[in-house]
Amino acid sequence: MRTLSSILGRRVVTESGLSLGHCHDVRADLTGSRLELTHLCVGPGGILDRLGVGSRRHHAEVAWSAIVRFEEKRIVVRDPQ
């Protein structure tokens, strides 16, 4: 099990090594009493969006389903197709 605090701030990279930035926030869907994470918010504008002063235009969203693995200090995601 992962905690949200263990995800935020990690560098997000693709399998081929391209850095997408740091994870500043997550997106989730709430269905009944279940919360399902759907996206990582990465990039320079992600922190502003997290604080409510930015918009989705200023950061990238990576689908939760694209995560390949969690490493000690980074999150590895599939290469974009």
Side-chain angles (χ1 to χ4, degrees), residues 27-79:
R27 297 265 181 244
D29 288 332
L30 180 60
T31 306
S33 62
R34 182 183 167 124
L35 187 66
E36 181 179 348
L37 297 179
T38 60
H39 292 85
L40 301 174
C41 300
V42 299
I47 191 76
L48 295 175
D49 186 55
R50 180 176 175 192
L51 297 172
V53 294
S55 72
R56 290 184 183 193
R57 293 186 312 238
H58 298 109
H59 69 272
E61 290 186 349
V62 177
W64 186 261
S65 60
I67 296 173
V68 174
R69 66 184 173 274
F70 289 91
E71 295 181 349
E72 186 176 335
K73 294 186 178 185
R74 64 186 195 164
I75 300 169
V76 180
V77 298
R78 283 192 296 276
D79 287 305

Side-chain angles (χ1 to χ4, degrees), residues 3-43:
T3 61
L4 182 58
S5 61
S6 75
I7 295 170
L8 298 179
R10 285 188 189 205
R11 179 166 297 281
V12 179
V13 298
T14 64
E15 289 178 291
S16 61
L18 176 67
S19 177
L20 302 178
H22 287 88
C23 177
H24 295 293
D25 207 352
V26 296
R27 297 265 181 244
D29 288 332
L30 180 60
T31 306
S33 62
R34 182 183 167 124
L35 187 66
E36 181 179 348
L37 297 179
T38 60
H39 292 85
L40 301 174
C41 300
V42 299

